[in-house]
Amino acid sequence: MGWAVAVAVLLSASPTFVTRGDVTPEADLRREAQAAWTSLETQYAAQAGGLPTRAPATVTIQKGTSLTPGRNAQGRPGVVELRQNTPGVLDAKTRTALRHELAHQLLWWACPASSEDRLFHEAFALTVSGELPAWRDGPYQSLSRAAKEVASAPAVDTSRARRGLARILGEHTGFPAALTRRLRQCHDGARWAAPLTVEELADVAVLAPEAATVVVSRHSGEVLFSEGDVRRAVPYGSTLKPFLYAAGTVVARGGASPRDASGSGARSMTVVAPEGRGTALLGSGRVESGAPAKTAAATPEGAGHAAPEANAPPLLAPRQGVQEWACGAGLPAKVDARLALLRSCNGWFLDWEATGLAPKAFGVWGPVLSSVGLTGLPSDMTEAIGLRSAHGLSPWGMAQAYRLLAEARPDVLTLLTGNVDEGTLSGLSTSKALKGVATKTGTVRDAASRPQFGWIAAVDADLVAVIVRPGKMPRHFVDELPALLTRVRRQAGLEAARVQVLGLLPSATVEARCSGAGFSLDDGTPRAAPPDFSRLDALTAKGPAVCLGSPWRIRFPDGPDGGRDYAGVFTWSAPPPYRPPPGVPTTPSALKARRGSDFVFRTTRVQYTAGVVAAEDVTLKGEARVALARVAAHNERHADTRHPGRALCDTTHCQAFRGTVRIRPEETRALQLPALKWGAWLTFSQGGDTPWREARPRTEVEALLGTNLVSLRFESGRVRYLRTEGTPAAPYEDARSLPCDTLRAGLKLPSCPQRASFDGPQVLFEGQGRGHGEGLDVEAAKASPGLSSDALLERAFGAWGTRSPTP
């Protein structure tokens, strides 16, 4: 019923339309006017909050007798004059012109206070008449140029002025907020104190953000530093151009692996255009300051770059006198994608779109950007490269997107390290301090071409930083970046740590889910992960699996009901076959542990260390926890003693790790202390002095040590035993020994035994504490509250340098 009343109110507000017979057919013209008025009233009421209570005046529609050649209609209160080129035909131009003039009639009735505000009238008419798309067609026009065109014709009654006004109106999606504010002012009866300005229409004041800074880990994805409203989406300027480049080129199969995403160093990588349309070698060529940029020949070391083949991102000639090609002095006769990206040449990207080969809506990277908060996909290149601020992205979302880009396309990050040498951040006192850091800048300008705010996105080997500053160009605040990176790096342990995980499980049984935005990388191309749990081996089949905005949740049969958190990046890396040393008995479980895992997990060193400590003894506190954390971090750097050429494992063969946990102050402090002096693997065990006694079948013991056991004894970390060999006629006893931990692990004993005795078909073992009993005794450390971590470690490993680590 409410809807019916609303319709009746709207219909009652319609004027009477009078025709004079000079524009035909009259009945169709009146019906067209009635339908247009109803649509205009609906849009007005939705934005203003209602309609006037008084009825509108009669509107006469007649043929124009004094229309200039460039005009299809004109009007004054109560009268609309139309041009009709063909009698009896209401063509598209006539209908559009009618809607435009009726928009003015509606304002004269509903918002008389705005009658003298021509910019407001024209902006409203262009917005509600449906003609904006037609005005937007044609060559790109910058916001500042559009503002000048409008300013040059205050009545906004020329084609150039209206095209400029359409450009300003297209700066943002949806109904212009400035018009909504003014319409509500009308409906509330407020005084029209000042006419609408271009700056107000472009919503400069609304868009201007506060300063915002965010830094995330490339490895774990966690936010390491945040200041300001980092979740607010604002226009992004040129900062997303690297994603266009990445979408327009893909890493060739069999080329350089995206696994080594260091974000620094000069190395070549083969890239091809989508669908294999040509190839190019991209490196890190240099342009001397003040000298023309030249295309260098590709070298075996990849220090130069070769001209791309046809259909790859093209070589394009700069267009003289075109504002969008004003991207630094000394441009070469032909500009390639690399230089266009470093110089942020808007004209190159616009002309790339004109070739028909540029990716649309960021190509394969569009879903990635949408998943981290991009408010809408661009409809054309001007929106994609930030010339029109139609959409926004938050600093947090920008950091997450660059994290994935760094993982997927290290070649793009390598290219961006050249920005401080020959790009938008070159020639500054800060440039040398940013050597090896990949950077991309962006500037959002207002209608007067003043910087509304600037962006810097930066990626180094471990961090992704995004800085947004209002009213500044990036070159004016880039000196903040080195200090920011240094400040964040005071948090110790941010470098990468790698560990083979879940090796005791069949790979096909491990499942992963990302509650944020999960992606698997297919030769550098991001593919969205399923929203629910899916097999981890499938996610990592062709490249790393990355979860943006949250840790991976991992589950497997007989595991914890809720699964485990893994904040980091998974890759598939099958280990070589493991062959146990001759004569060393090895159980099936030990074989799995010593083989390693098909999954390699990368996180930060401090996250890894905290995970090890929690897995080994979650109850540890104080200096004992610091000591164990230092040993865990030390061992991560000595993985070769356990798995030569590979990361260490997550079983007791190395040191336990069951996912990432909340970091405790002890782990942070441990990694802030000096590195340990011992250059070998350091063992530790739960230890303690609680006695235990357990029995194992003699057959199980002999499966490890061999048949015909005579005696067992334990000393100096080894099991020494005798076996009867030879023949019944000529027997003899053979003495052998093995590391005690081999027996302990094989029989699943709490610790290395102190005594063993034979009891018929069983062997009785006695001991105390838990673990192999070597190195750091965790329980003893707990019981020594007065000792520092240095003292605890010295007590455990003082003479360790003269010993060989247990294999």
Side-chain angles (χ1 to χ4, degrees):
M1 179 163 181
W3 179 85
V5 171
V7 171
V9 170
L10 286 175
L11 291 177
S12 68
S14 298
T16 300
F17 293 104
V18 176
T19 56
R20 293 185 171 180
D22 48 3
V23 181
T24 57
E26 292 182 84
D28 289 349
L29 180 61
R30 289 192 295 272
R31 279 193 294 271
E32 183 75 22
Q34 180 64 64
W37 185 272
T38 301
S39 173
L40 296 171
E41 275 186 334
T42 302
Q43 295 180 73
Y44 182 98
Q47 301 302 321
L51 291 167
T53 55
R54 65 185 184 282
T58 298
V59 176
T60 300
I61 306 174
Q62 63 189 43
K63 187 173 183 178
T65 58
S66 58
L67 292 173
T68 61
R71 299 180 67 85
N72 290 316
Q74 63 185 16
R76 58 186 184 275
V79 177
V80 173
E81 297 182 5
L82 297 175
R83 182 193 303 279
Q84 187 173 37
N85 294 320
T86 304
V89 177
L90 297 177
D91 57 20
K93 287 184 178 181
T94 304
R95 295 172 189 270
T96 299
L98 175 62
R99 288 195 300 272
H100 183 101
E101 293 304 323
L102 289 178
H104 289 299
Q105 297 292 331
L106 187 141
L107 285 183
W108 281 321
W109 160 63
C111 186
S114 69
S115 297
E116 302 302 320
D117 193 335
R118 290 303 304 270
L119 179 59
F120 173 75
H121 259 252
E122 286 301 320
F124 177 80
L126 283 178
T127 299
V128 300
S129 64
E131 60 189 297
L132 270 180
W135 281 110
R136 289 173 181 163
D137 289 342
Y140 168 76
Q141 188 178 40
S142 69
L143 185 61
S144 57
R145 180 71 59 83
K148 290 179 181 178
E149 296 290 358
V150 174
S152 66
V156 201
D157 57 354
T158 67
S159 295
R160 294 176 64 174
R162 288 193 179 180
R163 187 176 300 281
L165 180 56
R167 164 67 178 89
I168 296 168
L169 291 169
E171 183 68 7
H172 312 291
T173 57
F175 200 91
L179 295 186
T180 299
R181 290 193 296 271
R182 291 289 187 137
L183 291 174
R184 291 188 181 277
Q185 181 180 323
C186 271
H187 188 65
D188 294 342
R191 187 171 64 90
W192 203 268
L196 182 71
T197 65
V198 169
E199 287 75 16
E200 181 185 355
L201 189 59
D203 246 356
V204 174
V206 172
L207 286 177
E210 297 178 357
T213 307
V214 64
V215 181
V216 303
S217 167
R218 279 185 59 173
H219 313 304
S220 67
E222 63 191 305
V223 174
L224 303 171
F225 178 84
S226 177
E227 193 172 68
D229 190 356
V230 299
R231 293 279 188 161
R232 181 189 181 193
V234 292
Y236 44 78
S238 296
T239 48
L240 297 185
K241 285 176 180 174
F243 297 89
L244 286 168
Y245 176 87
T249 58
V250 295
V251 179
R253 289 182 180 271
S257 170
R259 188 175 302 150
D260 179 25
S262 64
S264 63
R267 66 187 183 91
S268 65
M269 174 168 285
T270 303
V271 295
V272 298
E275 291 85 42
R277 299 184 308 219
T279 63
L281 282 175
L282 298 179
S284 58
R286 297 288 181 262
V287 177
E288 297 298 329
S289 177
K294 296 181 180 179
T295 302
T299 68
E301 295 78 16
H305 62 285
E309 297 178 4
N311 294 329
L315 290 165
L316 298 173
R319 288 184 284 131
Q320 299 298 321
V322 176
Q323 181 182 359
E324 288 65 47
W325 270 101
C327 45
L331 285 178
K334 297 283 188 178
V335 175
D336 63 5
R338 173 189 162 280
L339 187 59
L341 189 54
L342 293 178
R343 297 279 193 96
S344 206
C345 288
N346 293 326
W348 187 93
F349 285 90
L350 295 174
D351 291 356
W352 185 22
E353 181 184 42
T355 67
L357 299 177
K360 298 183 184 302
F362 295 112
V364 296
W365 287 91
V368 174
L369 295 168
S370 295
S371 73
V372 296
L374 184 65
T375 57
L377 290 175
S379 60
D380 58 22
M381 187 63 78
T382 63
E383 292 182 3
I385 62 177
L387 285 174
R388 285 204 300 119
S389 304
H391 307 292
L393 184 62
S394 71
W396 177 89
M398 185 75 70
Q400 297 295 334
Y402 268 90
R403 179 185 174 222
L404 188 63
L405 182 67
E407 195 70 37
R409 294 296 300 273
D411 61 310
V412 179
L413 271 292
T414 298
L415 189 160
L416 291 175
T417 61
N419 197 22
V420 295
D421 294 315
E422 54 183 309
T424 56
L425 294 178
S426 62
L428 298 170
S429 58
T430 313
S431 299
K432 289 183 180 180
L434 294 174
K435 194 77 171 176
V437 179
T439 57
K440 184 68 188 79
T441 61
T443 304
V444 180
R445 299 177 181 275
D446 64 16
S449 198
R450 295 168 300 200
Q452 192 175 346
F453 52 90
W455 288 79
I456 298 177
V459 185
D460 69 7
D462 302 307
L463 308 175
V464 181
V466 175
I467 306 175
V468 179
R469 294 292 180 264
K472 293 184 178 181
M473 295 180 64
R475 289 175 67 89
H476 296 160
F477 63 86
V478 68
D479 57 329
E480 297 182 36
L481 181 57
L484 172 66
L485 297 177
T486 299
R487 176 181 180 182
V488 174
R489 284 195 176 280
R490 293 196 187 107
Q491 304 175 41
L494 300 184
E495 64 272 24
R498 292 171 174 81
V499 54
Q500 300 179 77
V501 293
L502 309 164
L504 299 180
L505 300 167
S507 299
T509 66
V510 180
E511 296 182 320
R513 178 176 64 84
C514 174
S515 60
F519 292 91
S520 56
L521 299 176
D522 181 352
D523 288 318
T525 299
R527 310 291 186 195
D532 205 351
F533 279 101
S534 58
R535 283 174 50 171
L536 184 58
D537 58 355
L539 290 174
T540 57
K542 295 183 178 180
V546 184
C547 181
L548 303 178
S550 73
W552 286 105
R553 194 71 171 168
I554 300 297
R555 72 179 186 184
F556 46 86
D558 300 323
D561 290 341
R564 300 175 182 168
D565 282 341
Y566 283 77
V569 179
F570 283 100
T571 56
W572 176 273
S573 177
Y578 175 75
R579 295 178 177 83
V584 177
T586 310
T587 64
S589 177
L591 280 173
K592 288 182 181 179
R594 284 157 175 75
R595 171 188 178 270
S597 172
D598 294 321
F599 300 118
V600 175
F601 175 69
R602 189 180 90 239
T603 187
T604 60
R605 195 167 176 230
V606 67
Q607 281 278 8
Y608 169 74
T609 300
V612 170
V613 174
E616 294 287 356
D617 190 336
V618 73
T619 65
L620 268 181
K621 296 180 181 178
E623 289 298 297
R625 191 178 186 102
V626 173
L628 181 57
R630 295 178 74 181
V631 172
H634 170 89
N635 286 344
E636 190 274 330
R637 290 295 187 256
H638 290 81
D640 270 357
T641 63
R642 287 304 195 253
H643 293 275
R646 288 178 63 79
L648 76 171
C649 59
D650 65 345
T651 66
T652 54
H653 173 58
C654 300
Q655 48 195 21
F657 177 78
R658 300 190 183 99
T660 51
V661 297
R662 179 174 295 180
I663 298 169
R664 293 266 299 269
E666 291 95 334
E667 285 96 45
T668 300
R669 180 165 173 265
L671 272 74
Q672 290 171 336
L673 293 171
L676 300 183
K677 63 183 179 180
W678 299 281
W681 181 273
L682 301 179
T683 59
F684 59 89
S685 65
Q686 189 66 43
D689 54 10
T690 303
W692 58 265
R693 177 184 168 115
E694 296 195 11
R696 296 291 184 269
R698 182 167 182 149
T699 55
E700 189 176 324
V701 177
E702 291 186 337
L704 280 173
L705 304 181
T707 57
N708 300 319
L709 284 175
V710 177
S711 68
L712 287 167
R713 62 189 178 88
F714 306 91
E715 62 181 21
S716 301
R718 298 187 70 83
V719 54
R720 302 186 186 280
Y721 58 98
L722 297 176
R723 294 192 329 187
T724 300
E725 301 284 358
T727 64
Y732 66 91
E733 291 183 345
D734 180 33
R736 301 191 180 191
S737 74
L738 284 172
C740 187
D741 200 46
T742 301
L743 180 73
R744 180 194 68 84
L747 298 178
K748 294 183 172 58
L749 296 173
S751 66
C752 185
Q754 295 172 328
R755 294 171 297 279
S757 59
F758 295 96
D759 183 15
Q762 291 188 320
V763 180
L764 298 178
F765 294 97
E766 296 177 78
Q768 65 180 37
R770 294 188 174 275
H772 47 62
E774 297 182 8
L776 178 67
D777 185 320
V778 174
E779 289 298 323
K782 286 182 184 179
S784 305
L787 295 182
S788 68
S789 66
D790 283 328
L792 292 171
L793 294 172
E794 190 65 34
R795 184 174 71 180
F797 306 111
W800 203 259
T802 63
R803 302 178 55 186
S804 299
T806 302

